[in-house]
Amino acid sequence: MNQIYQHFRHEERQFIDQVVEWKENVLNQYSPKLTDFLDPREQEIVSSVIGEHIDVKVSFSGGVEDTERKRAFLYPDYYQVSEEDFKLALFEVQYASKFITLQHRQVLGSLMSLGLKRSKFGDIRFHNDTVHFICATEISEYLSANFKEIGRAKISLKEIDSYQFIPNKEEVQEMVTTVSSLRLDVVGAAIYNLSRQKIQPLITNGHVKVNWKVVDSASFECQDGDTLSIRGYGRSKLTSVEGRTKKDRVRIVVRKQK
C-alpha cells in the first residue's frame, strides 16, 4: 500500500483504501463493481490502484466520449464490458427559455435539493438555451417524477440519446510563468492575474478547488498535474513544474480555460 500512497496526497488515502476494497471484492466474489460518478482525479487514482492487474480490469464511461465525470466499472478479466454496464441516463431540461436563463450552479443546486448526492450525476452542459445532463439510471425514474423546478422556473425532462448530447467545446490556452513558491495563493494569483490579497479571501471562503475538492488553506502546496478552479474565474491545470530559474523562482506551465 505504501507504494501506492507515495504517489498521492495524504488526504486521498481514504479513497485509495476504498478502491482497494472494490478490487478485492471483484477478485473474491468474481463479480463486477460499478461506482458512482468520479471526477478526473478519482479516475486517475482508480487507474493507478488497478494498474496492470492481471485478474481485475477497469473501464470508464460518462455517457459520451468527452465527458469529465465518469463511472468506473471494475470487472474480472474474462468479463465482456458493454456500454449498458455503466447504467447511464441522459436528459434534456425543457423550460421557457425565452424568459429564463439557467446557470450550471442553479441546475446542480436544484438536483441536489432533491436529496441526491453529487456522485449520482455526471456532466451538465449548456449550449445557447439548451441544457443537458447525465445521471445514474437508478435515479432516473425518481428525477422524472420529482425534478419539476429550477429555482422558480417550471421544467420538465426529456430523455435523449448520446449522439444528441452537447459536445465539449472548451478552449484552453497554454501559459508559462514563474512564481516565488508553489503555495496555492501564489500559484492562483499568477494564473488568474490576481493579487494575493484578493485571492486569499476566495480560498478561505471555500471558493477555490484543487482537483475538484475545496481547499481553504492559502499555504496548500500545489503539485504537477493539479487542476485548480476559482469560482467566477474558471479552471486551469498545472501541467508541469520545471525547476528554478537563476533568480530562484519556480517555472510553471499551465493550461487555462479561455
Side-chain angles (χ1 to χ4, degrees):
M1 285 298 294
N2 285 335
Q3 282 186 323
I4 299 173
Y5 286 153
Q6 69 183 1
H7 297 293
F8 299 98
R9 290 189 169 96
H10 184 271
E11 59 267 25
E12 294 173 322
R13 289 188 175 188
Q14 185 175 355
F15 182 69
I16 292 169
D17 292 341
Q18 178 69 77
V19 179
V20 171
E21 184 179 328
W22 292 338
K23 182 178 76 171
E24 294 301 321
N25 287 342
V26 172
L27 272 174
N28 296 331
Q29 299 174 13
Y30 301 101
S31 61
K33 163 66 181 178
L34 177 63
T35 73
D36 285 341
F37 286 93
L38 308 175
D39 64 44
R41 178 66 169 183
E42 291 169 331
Q43 294 167 39
E44 181 184 343
I45 292 172
V46 171
S47 295
S48 295
V49 172
I50 302 304
E52 298 299 322
H53 200 287
I54 297 173
D55 298 319
V56 179
K57 307 295 182 185
V58 62
S59 295
F60 300 93
S61 179
V64 295
E65 198 169 306
D66 58 353
T67 47
E68 180 177 273
R69 296 176 61 80
K70 298 177 181 180
R71 302 186 87 171
F73 189 74
L74 286 70
Y75 55 96
D77 64 329
Y78 58 80
Y79 191 93
Q80 296 296 312
V81 184
S82 68
E83 190 62 26
E84 287 71 31
D85 287 316
F86 292 93
K87 302 187 185 310
L88 301 166
L90 289 70
F91 285 105
E92 179 174 315
V93 178
Q94 299 185 313
Y95 64 105
S97 56
K98 288 184 179 180
F99 309 104
I100 300 164
T101 300
L102 296 180
Q103 297 179 332
H104 186 284
R105 60 182 176 80
Q106 294 173 310
V107 176
L108 180 58
S110 296
L111 287 168
M112 302 280 284
S113 71
L114 296 173
L116 299 166
K117 295 179 180 178
R118 177 65 178 101
S119 58
K120 292 298 181 184
F121 300 99
D123 285 17
I124 301 171
R125 293 210 185 142
F126 294 75
H127 180 66
N128 296 329
D129 296 330
T130 304
V131 182
H132 289 167
F133 71 88
I134 302 173
C135 71
T137 55
E138 57 262 32
I139 65 166
S140 59
E141 287 188 13
Y142 178 81
L143 283 180
S144 296
N146 294 281
F147 191 34
K148 301 297 184 182
E149 291 182 333
I150 297 177
R152 296 182 179 178
K154 301 294 183 183
I155 64 108
S156 62
L157 296 181
K158 174 187 175 184
E159 195 156 2
I160 59 174
D161 293 320
S162 58
Y163 72 87
Q164 298 172 286
F165 199 72
I166 297 169
N168 183 9
K169 294 184 178 180
E170 178 180 287
E171 293 185 33
V172 296
Q173 62 184 28
E174 186 170 277
M175 61 178 286
V176 180
T177 188
T178 62
V179 290
S180 59
S181 77
L182 291 175
R183 281 173 54 112
L184 178 57
D185 58 345
V186 175
V187 173
I191 294 173
Y192 296 99
N193 196 27
L194 300 170
S195 68
R196 288 176 69 181
Q197 288 72 28
K198 187 166 185 178
I199 198 172
Q200 285 173 348
L202 294 172
I203 296 170
T204 55
N205 290 327
H207 298 326
V208 177
K209 292 182 178 180
V210 179
N211 298 328
W212 293 270
K213 303 291 188 293
V214 172
V215 175
D216 58 10
S217 170
S219 62
F220 179 89
E221 193 83 359
C222 296
Q223 298 177 359
D224 270 24
D226 281 349
T227 296
L228 281 64
S229 61
I230 302 178
R231 190 182 303 173
Y233 292 89
R235 183 184 297 168
S236 59
K237 183 169 185 177
L238 184 59
T239 54
S240 65
V241 177
E242 302 195 334
R244 292 191 172 271
T245 67
K246 292 179 179 179
K247 295 184 178 180
D248 202 32
R249 291 177 64 82
V250 183
R251 186 173 186 268
I252 60 173
V253 181
V254 177
R255 289 177 63 83
K256 181 182 175 185
Q257 282 181 339
K258 286 186 177 181

